Amino acid sequence: MGNCSSFSLPKWIFGDLHNNGMVSIEGDGTHEGIKTIRIQKACEFTASSVLCVCIITWNMNGKMSVEDIRKLVSSTRKFDLLVVGLQEVPKCGVEQVLQEAMADTHINGCQNFSLLCQKAMQSIQMFLFGAKSSEAYIKEMKVDEHAVGGCGGVIGRKKGAVAMYVNFSGIRMVFVSCHLAAHERKVEKRNSECRHISHSLFSKNDIHYAKSADITVWLGDLNYRLEGISSMPARKMIEENRQSKLRDRDQLLQEAEKGQVFHGYCEGTLSFKPTYKYNVGSSNYDSSYKIRVPSWTDRILFKVDNSSGLDAVLSSYEALDCVSSSDHKPVKAHLCLKVRGGDS
């Protein structure tokens, strides 16, 4: 979409889809399970994009900072929809702060982005924003949740996922915002939670999101860690801007290569520093007695159905180092969709 008020409606988009597990995106990935996609600094589909979506995930660590919320949603890039997935959300009106921040953020020439949809399961929450004019293009919306553990409540560490199914002018999208089991050794538990979440969401309504969606996006604190390296050597590599060398030690990519999780999904290159664990109020890694190994716990993954007729460009995938009120750094991605074979 070139602006907030116009939206082209492709006639092909209403056809029946059959998920065949393929991904219709070109990339330079070497991981069989998760394909690593090059970041293209500018969206190639500015004129002919069907839809551009900004996606954000952030573990808030139970703390509220109005200033950091504003930093979270501010953007110089144009987009049509904004998806914000939050974990460990404090009990102090995050929804209102987000809405006020979006009202004050002039994005895409539209001064008033409104809240189109939301879903909360205690400390796991997700919000969908769009221009007021976009409400007319929402054909169907469904939400669901699936808990897999955690205390929630005052502690604010509920585990599981919330999800949204959105039919936006015929483009069927699913967003899954999750918080999985913590600790390096809990790899299989995280794998199991992913599978349980995948099989459970929307199943009560006989709408299996993986089979009905043109694009599925997972975001959240997936909690996969670096394996086989201690904290100090990892930090030294990060200080020397050699964090790319740590990708082979990332548990999520390892498990995907084994076929355990996220087969056929795509992710941008992990060029930013690991997003956990930081000293609150700073950009310095954990200095507690645990001295945790820095890890890319916070991720955004996506999968386009091969029969959907869509192509996608990932125009950014970054961590927001300027946000410091949590022990996690937020991660933001910009994803633009277009009709495959259309003019660039």
Side-chain angles (χ1 to χ4, degrees):
M1 292 174 63
N3 56 65
C4 295
S5 60
S6 63
F7 189 90
S8 59
L9 181 59
K11 296 179 180 178
W12 56 268
I13 204 87
F14 290 101
D16 291 333
L17 299 179
H18 302 281
N19 191 327
N20 56 12
M22 301 295 290
V23 177
S24 62
I25 300 174
E26 295 296 326
D28 58 352
T30 57
H31 299 284
E32 183 179 355
I34 295 176
K35 182 178 291 187
T36 301
I37 301 298
R38 290 187 299 268
I39 305 299
Q40 302 195 18
K41 296 299 183 182
C43 176
E44 289 188 343
F45 307 146
T46 302
S48 60
S49 292
V50 175
L51 187 67
C52 290
V53 186
C54 177
I55 304 157
I56 300 170
T57 180
W58 186 31
N59 183 319
M60 298 180 70
N61 192 33
K63 298 176 176 60
M64 169 67 83
S65 166
V66 174
E67 180 183 356
D68 277 352
I69 291 289
R70 294 180 65 86
K71 292 177 182 177
L72 193 72
V73 299
S74 65
S75 177
T76 57
R77 295 177 181 270
K78 293 182 178 180
F79 55 81
D80 304 300
L81 296 174
L82 171 67
V83 177
V84 181
L86 303 173
Q87 308 84 43
E88 298 191 21
V89 177
K91 293 183 175 182
C92 54
V94 169
E95 173 191 342
Q96 183 64 31
V97 175
L98 271 171
Q99 290 194 77
E100 290 173 358
M102 288 305 297
D104 290 344
T105 303
H106 302 325
I107 300 170
N108 230 10
C110 296
Q111 296 185 7
N112 293 311
F113 267 56
S114 61
L115 182 62
L116 303 177
C117 186
Q118 64 178 308
K119 178 61 178 173
M121 183 176 67
Q122 295 185 31
S123 59
I124 305 173
Q125 302 183 17
M126 183 161 52
F127 304 87
L128 174 67
F129 289 90
K132 286 188 178 296
S133 59
S134 65
E135 295 178 10
Y137 301 109
I138 301 292
K139 306 300 181 183
E140 183 181 22
M141 285 194 297
K142 293 182 180 292
V143 296
D144 203 0
E145 65 183 55
H146 183 69
V148 294
C151 300
V154 176
I155 298 175
R157 286 174 172 80
K158 185 72 176 177
K159 298 300 193 294
V162 296
M164 294 179 183
Y165 174 93
V166 183
N167 183 327
F168 190 88
S169 207
I171 301 174
R172 291 167 286 190
M173 301 174 286
V174 164
F175 300 97
V176 181
S177 179
C178 67
H179 192 187
L180 305 182
H183 306 302
E184 179 185 346
R185 66 184 183 278
K186 298 290 186 66
V187 180
E188 182 47 45
K189 184 172 178 61
R190 286 188 280 276
N191 292 348
S192 176
E193 289 175 348
C194 282
R195 291 189 288 266
H196 279 295
I197 290 167
S198 295
H199 295 149
S200 300
L201 288 174
F202 301 115
S203 60
K204 296 184 291 295
N205 300 317
D206 295 324
I207 299 177
H208 196 291
Y209 69 89
K211 291 184 178 179
S212 61
D214 299 306
I215 180 166
T216 303
V217 180
W218 279 65
L219 57 147
D221 180 1
L222 277 66
N223 248 326
Y224 287 90
R225 310 300 175 96
L226 295 184
E227 194 168 89
I229 188 169
S230 59
S231 189
M232 289 305 133
R235 294 180 190 210
K236 181 174 177 56
M237 295 177 74
I238 295 166
E239 288 171 2
E240 296 172 351
N241 201 28
R242 294 190 295 127
Q243 58 263 24
S244 62
K245 303 294 185 182
L246 297 172
R247 291 200 290 260
D248 288 340
R249 299 185 181 275
D250 178 73
Q251 289 177 338
L252 178 56
L253 296 181
Q254 291 174 353
E255 294 304 301
E257 281 186 339
K258 297 174 186 175
Q260 296 298 309
V261 288
F262 294 112
H263 178 71
Y265 275 75
C266 298
E267 182 181 27
T269 304
L270 292 170
S271 58
F272 50 84
K273 297 188 297 184
T275 54
Y276 176 83
K277 177 179 180 161
Y278 286 87
N279 291 328
V280 173
S282 78
S283 291
N284 300 318
Y285 284 115
D286 180 27
S287 60
S288 72
Y289 72 95
K290 294 183 178 180
I291 318 179
R292 291 174 179 84
V293 179
S295 297
W296 286 291
T297 55
D298 310 278
R299 311 288 275 270
I300 299 172
L301 311 171
F302 64 94
K303 183 175 184 177
V304 176
D305 187 279
N306 192 51
S307 62
S308 68
L310 290 173
D311 277 327
V313 153
L314 189 64
S315 56
S316 74
Y317 190 44
E318 59 186 336
L320 303 183
D321 195 58
C322 60
V323 173
S324 60
S325 58
S326 171
D327 54 0
H328 290 252
K329 298 298 183 184
V331 172
K332 177 184 286 191
H334 284 82
L335 189 66
C336 291
L337 307 175
K338 71 168 288 188
V339 179
R340 187 180 305 127
D343 295 334
S344 297

